[in-house]
Amino acid sequence: DSGVTQTPKHLITATGQRVTLRCSPRSGDLSVYWYQQSLDQGLQFLIQYYNGEERAKGNILERFSAQQFPDLHSELNLSSLELGDSALYFCASSPDRVPLEQYFGPGTRLTVT
Amino acid sequence: TQLLEQSPQFLSIQEGENLTVYCNSSSVFSSLQWYRQEPGEGPVLLVTVVTGGEVKKLKRLTFQFGDARKDSSLHITAAQPGDTGLYLCAGEGSNYQLIWGAGTKLIIKP
């Protein structure tokens, strides 16, 4: 158990809909990262938040957005969903130190039908 | 742009064999990590290497960081079915971000 929690575990929705994925980082970790992983693919970095502020952006679509709240939990919002958005979405957290090591949650499996 | 290339992309071997997977770049990294991911689960950190030439052992797994800190290898001795998974390397780049390789999918057949 990494200490990172994600909800829900599974999500099935229709095209055009909007969903929110939630992540709680490990106790004391200030950074939260979001990744997308399509079937049999590597990890695609989406976005990083540090202590409530956006720190880095990866290949995140304009239809996707995220935020980190004062209690450090984070939400990833996916809107106008398309079939191609079906994937595993992972959240990771890391402490504010180097070397940079990330601890991953169990993921949310999103299926868009 | 910093990139990490992993090879091979896919490896299927019999239990008991040895194997090596590679993680290569033309860029220098301040540290490099290896993660293992099982199907449907999140990646789990196995090891972090920081010093050029560093070798770390984790039971039957041996990790090496290249002298120039541009590449790394993971060697598994006497592979077991429990070693099956996706092995990902990630390098810490100049902007304190992780650069991820695409992974090596390893299958160990009993």
Side-chain angles (χ1 to χ4, degrees), chain A residues 3-66:
Chain A
V4 178
T5 61
Q6 288 187 249
T7 56
K9 181 74 172 169
H10 300 277
L11 197 49
I12 300 175
T13 189
T15 54
Q17 295 299 303
R18 172 189 170 95
V19 297
T20 297
L21 313 183
R22 182 188 169 105
C23 167
S24 292
R26 294 188 324 158
S27 178
D29 286 356
L30 299 180
S31 279
V32 168
Y33 305 79
W34 286 98
Y35 291 89
Q36 180 191 58
Q37 187 176 43
S38 300
L39 188 62
D40 287 336
Q41 299 292 311
L43 293 172
Q44 295 297 317
F45 168 64
L46 296 178
I47 196 164
Q48 178 200 358
Y49 277 82
Y50 175 81
N51 202 21
E53 299 289 326
E54 182 185 304
R55 176 171 269 191
K57 245 180 181 178
N59 299 320
I60 188 166
L61 300 172
E62 286 190 8
R63 301 183 284 110
F64 296 1
S65 65

